[in-house]
């Protein structure tokens, strides 16, 4: 197996979120598991990227695929009728806890391993990113918080004593945070094609209204496009002392944030599997 990373460069794996688009990362990480490829000192995940990473670090081949194509497609998770009645569109609390019960994680492997998983969330009060190293005490709170898409999930889960929202608001691709904490050889798994760039928000008055009780969070939502594109600029032009490799979906990736079509999800998974295998060949 090729040595992608050197032990003296603090190799890191960063996985973007994107709800159902996480099926691509599920394929990539299953390719890594098939090849027994796990050279990373740290892993950094956001939203669905964090939950796919814990499956990978626990060595549970196929778990992410199963959860996304089964549990995440059930009406208990995505439910427009419930949403229009005032409930959650995406009940991430149900998804995490039900899949935890039905498809257990090999958590001992993660806890005994040498790779620490850092998960990004967004403070609902300040709009700033928060990064938590996952352990067996905080994992339920941290994963639920990082995946709680604002408005689609109507609560703000608590981590410790702080209300949180989706990590993708403040730091969609935490590659710069990985670098700040010492990573110098970084592999990034994106959930959109490599040339994608996020457009500026154009409906700021509506955002201010929807988040009128949390103005700092509203500001973070409005600045998300700029923050996202800054991360992509870092990936394209990393510092001289840092190497960044990217695994991104192809231009015909068929999966969007709320896709539940089984054929599209299967194709997205296969595209991720092939992309992971291709990465390992070079």
């Amino acid at each position: 197996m090729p040595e992608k990373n050197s032990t003296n460069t603090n190799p890191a794996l960063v996985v973007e979120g994107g709800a159902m688009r996480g099926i691509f990362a599920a394929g990539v990480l299953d390719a890594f598991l098939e090849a027994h490829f796990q050279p990373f000192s740290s892993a950094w995940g956001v939203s669905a990227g964090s939950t796919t990473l814990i499956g990978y670090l626990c060595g549970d081949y196929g778990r992410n695929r199963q959860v996304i194509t089964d549990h995440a497609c059930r009406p208990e998770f995505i439910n427009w009728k419930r949403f229009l009645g005032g409930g959650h569109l995406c009940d991430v609390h149900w998804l995490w806890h039900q899949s935890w019960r039905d498809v257990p994680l090999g958590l001992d492997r993660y806890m005994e391993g040498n790779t620490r998983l850092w998960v990004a969330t967004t403070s609902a009060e300040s709009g700033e990113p928060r990064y938590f190293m996952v352990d067996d005490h905080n994992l339920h709170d941290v994963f639920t918080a990082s995946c709680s898409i604002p408005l689609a999930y109507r609560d703000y889960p608590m981590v410790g004593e702080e209300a949180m929202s989706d990590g993708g608001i403040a730091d969609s691709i935490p590659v710069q945070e990985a670098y700040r904490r010492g990573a110098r050889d970084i592999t990034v798994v994106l959930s959109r094609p490599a040339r994608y760039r996020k457009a500026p928000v154009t409906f700021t008055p509506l955002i201010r209204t929807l988040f009128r009780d949390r103005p700092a969070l509203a500001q973070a939502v409005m600045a998300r496009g700029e923050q996202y594109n800054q991360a992509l600029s870092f990936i394209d032009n990393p510092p001289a002392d840092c190497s960044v490799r990217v695994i991104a979906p192809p231009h015909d990736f068929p999966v969007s944030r709320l896709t539940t079509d089984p054929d599209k999800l299967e194709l997205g998974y296969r595209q991720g599997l092939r992309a992971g295998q291709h990465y390992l060949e070079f």
Side-chain angles (χ1 to χ4, degrees), residues 156-189:
Y156 294 98
M158 302 295 293
V159 180
E161 298 183 355
E162 191 170 14
M164 297 293 175
S165 191
D166 181 6
I169 298 171
D171 194 353
S172 299
I173 313 169
V175 60
Q176 294 173 92
E177 186 66 19
Y179 177 79
R180 281 191 288 268
R181 302 211 190 194
R184 293 297 180 267
D185 193 346
I186 306 174
T187 296
V188 179
V189 181

PDB file of all heavy atoms in Angstrom, residues 156-189:
ATOM      1  N   TYR A 156     -31.669  24.042  19.097  1.00  0.00           N
ATOM      2  CA  TYR A 156     -30.234  24.313  19.150  1.00  0.00           C
ATOM      3  C   TYR A 156     -29.645  23.395  20.215  1.00  0.00           C
ATOM      4  O   TYR A 156     -29.704  23.685  21.410  1.00  0.00           O
ATOM      5  CB  TYR A 156     -29.966  25.785  19.491  1.00  0.00           C
ATOM      6  CG  TYR A 156     -30.420  26.733  18.402  1.00  0.00           C
ATOM      7  CD1 TYR A 156     -31.648  27.383  18.490  1.00  0.00           C
ATOM      8  CD2 TYR A 156     -29.634  26.956  17.276  1.00  0.00           C
ATOM      9  CE1 TYR A 156     -32.081  28.242  17.486  1.00  0.00           C
ATOM     10  CE2 TYR A 156     -30.051  27.815  16.273  1.00  0.00           C
ATOM     11  CZ  TYR A 156     -31.271  28.450  16.381  1.00  0.00           C
ATOM     12  OH  TYR A 156     -31.693  29.304  15.377  1.00  0.00           O
ATOM     13  N   PRO A 157     -29.113  22.248  19.810  1.00  0.00           N
ATOM     14  CA  PRO A 157     -28.612  21.267  20.787  1.00  0.00           C
ATOM     15  C   PRO A 157     -27.519  21.860  21.672  1.00  0.00           C
ATOM     16  O   PRO A 157     -26.706  22.674  21.223  1.00  0.00           O
ATOM     17  CB  PRO A 157     -28.057  20.146  19.903  1.00  0.00           C
ATOM     18  CG  PRO A 157     -28.760  20.309  18.596  1.00  0.00           C
ATOM     19  CD  PRO A 157     -28.965  21.772  18.434  1.00  0.00           C
ATOM     20  N   MET A 158     -27.499  21.402  22.897  1.00  0.00           N
ATOM     21  CA  MET A 158     -26.502  21.880  23.847  1.00  0.00           C
ATOM     22  C   MET A 158     -25.276  20.973  23.805  1.00  0.00           C
ATOM     23  O   MET A 158     -25.386  19.752  23.778  1.00  0.00           O
ATOM     24  CB  MET A 158     -27.079  21.886  25.258  1.00  0.00           C
ATOM     25  CG  MET A 158     -28.322  22.734  25.436  1.00  0.00           C
ATOM     26  SD  MET A 158     -28.009  24.505  25.183  1.00  0.00           S
ATOM     27  CE  MET A 158     -26.938  24.853  26.594  1.00  0.00           C
ATOM     28  N   VAL A 159     -24.116  21.593  23.799  1.00  0.00           N
ATOM     29  CA  VAL A 159     -22.857  20.890  24.050  1.00  0.00           C
ATOM     30  C   VAL A 159     -22.246  21.585  25.246  1.00  0.00           C
ATOM     31  O   VAL A 159     -21.858  22.748  25.170  1.00  0.00           O
ATOM     32  CB  VAL A 159     -21.911  20.938  22.843  1.00  0.00           C
ATOM     33  CG1 VAL A 159     -20.620  20.188  23.174  1.00  0.00           C
ATOM     34  CG2 VAL A 159     -22.572  20.323  21.612  1.00  0.00           C
ATOM     35  N   GLY A 160     -22.195  20.876  26.354  1.00  0.00           N
ATOM     36  CA  GLY A 160     -21.845  21.539  27.596  1.00  0.00           C
ATOM     37  C   GLY A 160     -22.961  22.506  27.963  1.00  0.00           C
ATOM     38  O   GLY A 160     -24.131  22.134  28.030  1.00  0.00           O
ATOM     39  N   GLU A 161     -22.615  23.762  28.129  1.00  0.00           N
ATOM     40  CA  GLU A 161     -23.612  24.770  28.486  1.00  0.00           C
ATOM     41  C   GLU A 161     -23.873  25.754  27.354  1.00  0.00           C
ATOM     42  O   GLU A 161     -24.439  26.824  27.572  1.00  0.00           O
ATOM     43  CB  GLU A 161     -23.152  25.519  29.742  1.00  0.00           C
ATOM     44  CG  GLU A 161     -23.008  24.613  30.959  1.00  0.00           C
ATOM     45  CD  GLU A 161     -22.612  25.388  32.207  1.00  0.00           C
ATOM     46  OE1 GLU A 161     -22.366  26.608  32.099  1.00  0.00           O
ATOM     47  OE2 GLU A 161     -22.554  24.765  33.284  1.00  0.00           O
ATOM     48  N   GLU A 162     -23.484  25.394  26.121  1.00  0.00           N
ATOM     49  CA  GLU A 162     -23.623  26.307  24.994  1.00  0.00           C
ATOM     50  C   GLU A 162     -24.522  25.714  23.921  1.00  0.00           C
ATOM     51  O   GLU A 162     -24.354  24.566  23.521  1.00  0.00           O
ATOM     52  CB  GLU A 162     -22.250  26.628  24.406  1.00  0.00           C
ATOM     53  CG  GLU A 162     -22.261  27.761  23.404  1.00  0.00           C
ATOM     54  CD  GLU A 162     -20.861  28.226  23.029  1.00  0.00           C
ATOM     55  OE1 GLU A 162     -19.884  27.498  23.339  1.00  0.00           O
ATOM     56  OE2 GLU A 162     -20.739  29.307  22.444  1.00  0.00           O
ATOM     57  N   ALA A 163     -25.497  26.513  23.474  1.00  0.00           N
ATOM     58  CA  ALA A 163     -26.384  26.086  22.393  1.00  0.00           C
ATOM     59  C   ALA A 163     -25.627  26.132  21.064  1.00  0.00           C
ATOM     60  O   ALA A 163     -24.880  27.075  20.794  1.00  0.00           O
ATOM     61  CB  ALA A 163     -27.608  26.994  22.337  1.00  0.00           C
ATOM     62  N   MET A 164     -25.839  25.105  20.251  1.00  0.00           N
ATOM     63  CA  MET A 164     -25.083  24.967  19.019  1.00  0.00           C
ATOM     64  C   MET A 164     -26.002  24.820  17.811  1.00  0.00           C
ATOM     65  O   MET A 164     -27.175  24.481  17.924  1.00  0.00           O
ATOM     66  CB  MET A 164     -24.171  23.735  19.092  1.00  0.00           C
ATOM     67  CG  MET A 164     -23.115  23.805  20.162  1.00  0.00           C
ATOM     68  SD  MET A 164     -21.876  25.086  19.818  1.00  0.00           S
ATOM     69  CE  MET A 164     -20.905  24.980  21.335  1.00  0.00           C
ATOM     70  N   SER A 165     -25.413  25.057  16.639  1.00  0.00           N
ATOM     71  CA  SER A 165     -26.062  24.803  15.371  1.00  0.00           C
ATOM     72  C   SER A 165     -25.059  24.128  14.438  1.00  0.00           C
ATOM     73  O   SER A 165     -23.919  23.848  14.825  1.00  0.00           O
ATOM     74  CB  SER A 165     -26.591  26.111  14.768  1.00  0.00           C
ATOM     75  OG  SER A 165     -27.441  25.853  13.671  1.00  0.00           O
ATOM     76  N   ASP A 166     -25.509  23.864  13.226  1.00  0.00           N
ATOM     77  CA  ASP A 166     -24.734  23.160  12.211  1.00  0.00           C
ATOM     78  C   ASP A 166     -23.320  23.715  12.079  1.00  0.00           C
ATOM     79  O   ASP A 166     -23.115  24.911  11.877  1.00  0.00           O
ATOM     80  CB  ASP A 166     -25.486  23.311  10.885  1.00  0.00           C
ATOM     81  CG  ASP A 166     -24.832  22.613   9.714  1.00  0.00           C
ATOM     82  OD1 ASP A 166     -23.842  21.901   9.922  1.00  0.00           O
ATOM     83  OD2 ASP A 166     -25.323  22.787   8.596  1.00  0.00           O
ATOM     84  N   GLY A 167     -22.334  22.825  12.155  1.00  0.00           N
ATOM     85  CA  GLY A 167     -20.948  23.260  12.041  1.00  0.00           C
ATOM     86  C   GLY A 167     -20.617  23.886  10.711  1.00  0.00           C
ATOM     87  O   GLY A 167     -19.687  24.692  10.593  1.00  0.00           O
ATOM     88  N   GLY A 168     -21.391  23.537   9.668  1.00  0.00           N
ATOM     89  CA  GLY A 168     -21.127  24.075   8.348  1.00  0.00           C
ATOM     90  C   GLY A 168     -21.393  25.556   8.211  1.00  0.00           C
ATOM     91  O   GLY A 168     -20.962  26.174   7.234  1.00  0.00           O
ATOM     92  N   ILE A 169     -22.073  26.163   9.175  1.00  0.00           N
ATOM     93  CA  ILE A 169     -22.322  27.603   9.106  1.00  0.00           C
ATOM     94  C   ILE A 169     -21.014  28.360   9.283  1.00  0.00           C
ATOM     95  O   ILE A 169     -20.670  29.234   8.484  1.00  0.00           O
ATOM     96  CB  ILE A 169     -23.332  28.033  10.181  1.00  0.00           C
ATOM     97  CG1 ILE A 169     -24.676  27.341   9.971  1.00  0.00           C
ATOM     98  CG2 ILE A 169     -23.511  29.553  10.181  1.00  0.00           C
ATOM     99  CD1 ILE A 169     -25.650  27.559  11.109  1.00  0.00           C
ATOM    100  N   ALA A 170     -20.280  28.031  10.327  1.00  0.00           N
ATOM    101  CA  ALA A 170     -19.073  28.793  10.665  1.00  0.00           C
ATOM    102  C   ALA A 170     -17.812  28.240  10.024  1.00  0.00           C
ATOM    103  O   ALA A 170     -16.860  28.994   9.791  1.00  0.00           O
ATOM    104  CB  ALA A 170     -18.896  28.847  12.187  1.00  0.00           C
ATOM    105  N   ASP A 171     -17.782  26.934   9.748  1.00  0.00           N
ATOM    106  CA  ASP A 171     -16.585  26.347   9.141  1.00  0.00           C
ATOM    107  C   ASP A 171     -16.974  25.090   8.383  1.00  0.00           C
ATOM    108  O   ASP A 171     -16.923  23.980   8.909  1.00  0.00           O
ATOM    109  CB  ASP A 171     -15.538  26.032  10.206  1.00  0.00           C
ATOM    110  CG  ASP A 171     -14.163  25.744   9.602  1.00  0.00           C
ATOM    111  OD1 ASP A 171     -14.070  25.659   8.364  1.00  0.00           O
ATOM    112  OD2 ASP A 171     -13.195  25.612  10.366  1.00  0.00           O
ATOM    113  N   SER A 172     -17.336  25.267   7.119  1.00  0.00           N
ATOM    114  CA  SER A 172     -17.836  24.150   6.316  1.00  0.00           C
ATOM    115  C   SER A 172     -16.773  23.111   6.007  1.00  0.00           C
ATOM    116  O   SER A 172     -17.071  21.921   5.877  1.00  0.00           O
ATOM    117  CB  SER A 172     -18.411  24.680   5.000  1.00  0.00           C
ATOM    118  OG  SER A 172     -19.492  25.548   5.225  1.00  0.00           O
ATOM    119  N   ILE A 173     -15.533  23.565   5.851  1.00  0.00           N
ATOM    120  CA  ILE A 173     -14.421  22.672   5.506  1.00  0.00           C
ATOM    121  C   ILE A 173     -13.250  23.050   6.414  1.00  0.00           C
ATOM    122  O   ILE A 173     -12.465  23.933   6.078  1.00  0.00           O
ATOM    123  CB  ILE A 173     -14.006  22.819   4.022  1.00  0.00           C
ATOM    124  CG1 ILE A 173     -15.224  22.809   3.103  1.00  0.00           C
ATOM    125  CG2 ILE A 173     -13.028  21.718   3.626  1.00  0.00           C
ATOM    126  CD1 ILE A 173     -14.920  23.214   1.669  1.00  0.00           C
ATOM    127  N   PRO A 174     -13.106  22.426   7.571  1.00  0.00           N
ATOM    128  CA  PRO A 174     -12.144  22.905   8.573  1.00  0.00           C
ATOM    129  C   PRO A 174     -10.678  22.591   8.274  1.00  0.00           C
ATOM    130  O   PRO A 174      -9.915  22.187   9.143  1.00  0.00           O
ATOM    131  CB  PRO A 174     -12.618  22.220   9.857  1.00  0.00           C
ATOM    132  CG  PRO A 174     -13.312  20.988   9.406  1.00  0.00           C
ATOM    133  CD  PRO A 174     -13.958  21.337   8.091  1.00  0.00           C
ATOM    134  N   VAL A 175     -10.292  22.827   7.034  1.00  0.00           N
ATOM    135  CA  VAL A 175      -8.911  22.565   6.621  1.00  0.00           C
ATOM    136  C   VAL A 175      -7.954  23.576   7.242  1.00  0.00           C
ATOM    137  O   VAL A 175      -6.827  23.229   7.621  1.00  0.00           O
ATOM    138  CB  VAL A 175      -8.815  22.558   5.080  1.00  0.00           C
ATOM    139  CG1 VAL A 175      -9.242  23.878   4.474  1.00  0.00           C
ATOM    140  CG2 VAL A 175      -7.424  22.182   4.625  1.00  0.00           C
ATOM    141  N   GLN A 176      -8.388  24.825   7.379  1.00  0.00           N
ATOM    142  CA  GLN A 176      -7.501  25.832   7.963  1.00  0.00           C
ATOM    143  C   GLN A 176      -7.302  25.596   9.461  1.00  0.00           C
ATOM    144  O   GLN A 176      -6.218  25.840   9.990  1.00  0.00           O
ATOM    145  CB  GLN A 176      -8.070  27.227   7.707  1.00  0.00           C
ATOM    146  CG  GLN A 176      -8.079  27.594   6.229  1.00  0.00           C
ATOM    147  CD  GLN A 176      -8.800  28.890   5.956  1.00  0.00           C
ATOM    148  OE1 GLN A 176      -8.181  29.970   5.931  1.00  0.00           O
ATOM    149  NE2 GLN A 176     -10.105  28.820   5.743  1.00  0.00           N
ATOM    150  N   GLU A 177      -8.340  25.098  10.129  1.00  0.00           N
ATOM    151  CA  GLU A 177      -8.194  24.777  11.548  1.00  0.00           C
ATOM    152  C   GLU A 177      -7.244  23.602  11.731  1.00  0.00           C
ATOM    153  O   GLU A 177      -6.425  23.584  12.657  1.00  0.00           O
ATOM    154  CB  GLU A 177      -9.551  24.465  12.171  1.00  0.00           C
ATOM    155  CG  GLU A 177      -9.525  24.255  13.673  1.00  0.00           C
ATOM    156  CD  GLU A 177      -9.152  25.496  14.465  1.00  0.00           C
ATOM    157  OE1 GLU A 177      -9.258  26.620  13.920  1.00  0.00           O
ATOM    158  OE2 GLU A 177      -8.755  25.348  15.638  1.00  0.00           O
ATOM    159  N   ALA A 178      -7.328  22.614  10.844  1.00  0.00           N
ATOM    160  CA  ALA A 178      -6.393  21.490  10.909  1.00  0.00           C
ATOM    161  C   ALA A 178      -4.966  21.991  10.731  1.00  0.00           C
ATOM    162  O   ALA A 178      -4.044  21.552  11.446  1.00  0.00           O
ATOM    163  CB  ALA A 178      -6.739  20.468   9.830  1.00  0.00           C
ATOM    164  N   TYR A 179      -4.776  22.910   9.806  1.00  0.00           N
ATOM    165  CA  TYR A 179      -3.439  23.486   9.593  1.00  0.00           C
ATOM    166  C   TYR A 179      -2.979  24.268  10.823  1.00  0.00           C
ATOM    167  O   TYR A 179      -1.828  24.133  11.266  1.00  0.00           O
ATOM    168  CB  TYR A 179      -3.464  24.391   8.368  1.00  0.00           C
ATOM    169  CG  TYR A 179      -2.149  25.102   8.107  1.00  0.00           C
ATOM    170  CD1 TYR A 179      -1.088  24.445   7.499  1.00  0.00           C
ATOM    171  CD2 TYR A 179      -1.965  26.428   8.502  1.00  0.00           C
ATOM    172  CE1 TYR A 179       0.122  25.088   7.265  1.00  0.00           C
ATOM    173  CE2 TYR A 179      -0.762  27.085   8.282  1.00  0.00           C
ATOM    174  CZ  TYR A 179       0.279  26.410   7.660  1.00  0.00           C
ATOM    175  OH  TYR A 179       1.476  27.055   7.450  1.00  0.00           O
ATOM    176  N   ARG A 180      -3.868  25.076  11.387  1.00  0.00           N
ATOM    177  CA  ARG A 180      -3.499  25.860  12.573  1.00  0.00           C
ATOM    178  C   ARG A 180      -3.061  24.966  13.728  1.00  0.00           C
ATOM    179  O   ARG A 180      -2.232  25.366  14.554  1.00  0.00           O
ATOM    180  CB  ARG A 180      -4.670  26.743  13.007  1.00  0.00           C
ATOM    181  CG  ARG A 180      -4.832  28.014  12.191  1.00  0.00           C
ATOM    182  CD  ARG A 180      -5.826  28.962  12.833  1.00  0.00           C
ATOM    183  NE  ARG A 180      -7.190  28.495  12.706  1.00  0.00           N
ATOM    184  CZ  ARG A 180      -8.010  28.827  11.712  1.00  0.00           C
ATOM    185  NH1 ARG A 180      -7.577  29.602  10.737  1.00  0.00           N
ATOM    186  NH2 ARG A 180      -9.242  28.383  11.680  1.00  0.00           N
ATOM    187  N   ARG A 181      -3.598  23.758  13.775  1.00  0.00           N
ATOM    188  CA  ARG A 181      -3.268  22.842  14.866  1.00  0.00           C
ATOM    189  C   ARG A 181      -2.160  21.869  14.489  1.00  0.00           C
ATOM    190  O   ARG A 181      -1.959  20.869  15.168  1.00  0.00           O
ATOM    191  CB  ARG A 181      -4.519  22.096  15.315  1.00  0.00           C
ATOM    192  CG  ARG A 181      -5.621  23.036  15.769  1.00  0.00           C
ATOM    193  CD  ARG A 181      -6.482  22.454  16.819  1.00  0.00           C
ATOM    194  NE  ARG A 181      -7.659  23.274  17.073  1.00  0.00           N
ATOM    195  CZ  ARG A 181      -8.452  23.142  18.124  1.00  0.00           C
ATOM    196  NH1 ARG A 181      -8.197  22.205  19.032  1.00  0.00           N
ATOM    197  NH2 ARG A 181      -9.499  23.922  18.294  1.00  0.00           N
ATOM    198  N   GLY A 182      -1.458  22.173  13.404  1.00  0.00           N
ATOM    199  CA  GLY A 182      -0.232  21.443  13.128  1.00  0.00           C
ATOM    200  C   GLY A 182      -0.223  20.508  11.961  1.00  0.00           C
ATOM    201  O   GLY A 182       0.826  19.949  11.620  1.00  0.00           O
ATOM    202  N   ALA A 183      -1.363  20.274  11.310  1.00  0.00           N
ATOM    203  CA  ALA A 183      -1.390  19.357  10.168  1.00  0.00           C
ATOM    204  C   ALA A 183      -0.653  19.982   8.990  1.00  0.00           C
ATOM    205  O   ALA A 183      -0.868  21.146   8.653  1.00  0.00           O
ATOM    206  CB  ALA A 183      -2.824  19.043   9.777  1.00  0.00           C
ATOM    207  N   ARG A 184       0.200  19.194   8.355  1.00  0.00           N
ATOM    208  CA  ARG A 184       0.961  19.682   7.208  1.00  0.00           C
ATOM    209  C   ARG A 184       0.806  18.801   5.975  1.00  0.00           C
ATOM    210  O   ARG A 184       1.345  19.106   4.930  1.00  0.00           O
ATOM    211  CB  ARG A 184       2.449  19.801   7.590  1.00  0.00           C
ATOM    212  CG  ARG A 184       2.716  20.903   8.634  1.00  0.00           C
ATOM    213  CD  ARG A 184       2.354  22.266   8.097  1.00  0.00           C
ATOM    214  NE  ARG A 184       2.579  23.346   9.033  1.00  0.00           N
ATOM    215  CZ  ARG A 184       1.659  23.835   9.874  1.00  0.00           C
ATOM    216  NH1 ARG A 184       0.427  23.312   9.885  1.00  0.00           N
ATOM    217  NH2 ARG A 184       1.943  24.829  10.684  1.00  0.00           N
ATOM    218  N   ASP A 185       0.091  17.715   6.097  1.00  0.00           N
ATOM    219  CA  ASP A 185      -0.243  16.857   4.964  1.00  0.00           C
ATOM    220  C   ASP A 185      -1.715  16.519   5.108  1.00  0.00           C
ATOM    221  O   ASP A 185      -2.097  15.696   5.932  1.00  0.00           O
ATOM    222  CB  ASP A 185       0.624  15.604   4.980  1.00  0.00           C
ATOM    223  CG  ASP A 185       0.544  14.823   3.676  1.00  0.00           C
ATOM    224  OD1 ASP A 185      -0.360  15.091   2.872  1.00  0.00           O
ATOM    225  OD2 ASP A 185       1.399  13.947   3.465  1.00  0.00           O
ATOM    226  N   ILE A 186      -2.552  17.187   4.317  1.00  0.00           N
ATOM    227  CA  ILE A 186      -3.994  17.162   4.542  1.00  0.00           C
ATOM    228  C   ILE A 186      -4.709  16.590   3.326  1.00  0.00           C
ATOM    229  O   ILE A 186      -4.483  17.018   2.196  1.00  0.00           O
ATOM    230  CB  ILE A 186      -4.524  18.583   4.842  1.00  0.00           C
ATOM    231  CG1 ILE A 186      -3.754  19.212   6.005  1.00  0.00           C
ATOM    232  CG2 ILE A 186      -6.021  18.536   5.144  1.00  0.00           C
ATOM    233  CD1 ILE A 186      -4.119  20.673   6.275  1.00  0.00           C
ATOM    234  N   THR A 187      -5.563  15.619   3.576  1.00  0.00           N
ATOM    235  CA  THR A 187      -6.451  15.081   2.548  1.00  0.00           C
ATOM    236  C   THR A 187      -7.852  15.606   2.816  1.00  0.00           C
ATOM    237  O   THR A 187      -8.359  15.480   3.941  1.00  0.00           O
ATOM    238  CB  THR A 187      -6.451  13.544   2.565  1.00  0.00           C
ATOM    239  OG1 THR A 187      -5.139  13.063   2.237  1.00  0.00           O
ATOM    240  CG2 THR A 187      -7.454  12.992   1.563  1.00  0.00           C
ATOM    241  N   VAL A 188      -8.472  16.197   1.807  1.00  0.00           N
ATOM    242  CA  VAL A 188      -9.803  16.788   1.951  1.00  0.00           C
ATOM    243  C   VAL A 188     -10.786  16.039   1.066  1.00  0.00           C
ATOM    244  O   VAL A 188     -10.555  15.881  -0.136  1.00  0.00           O
ATOM    245  CB  VAL A 188      -9.798  18.281   1.570  1.00  0.00           C
ATOM    246  CG1 VAL A 188     -11.204  18.877   1.709  1.00  0.00           C
ATOM    247  CG2 VAL A 188      -8.806  19.058   2.425  1.00  0.00           C
ATOM    248  N   VAL A 189     -11.890  15.590   1.664  1.00  0.00           N
ATOM    249  CA  VAL A 189     -12.972  14.969   0.904  1.00  0.00           C
ATOM    250  C   VAL A 189     -14.118  15.976   0.830  1.00  0.00           C
ATOM    251  O   VAL A 189     -14.721  16.317   1.859  1.00  0.00           O
ATOM    252  CB  VAL A 189     -13.450  13.658   1.553  1.00  0.00           C
ATOM    253  CG1 VAL A 189     -14.565  13.028   0.706  1.00  0.00           C
ATOM    254  CG2 VAL A 189     -12.296  12.683   1.721  1.00  0.00           C
TER     255      VAL A 189
END
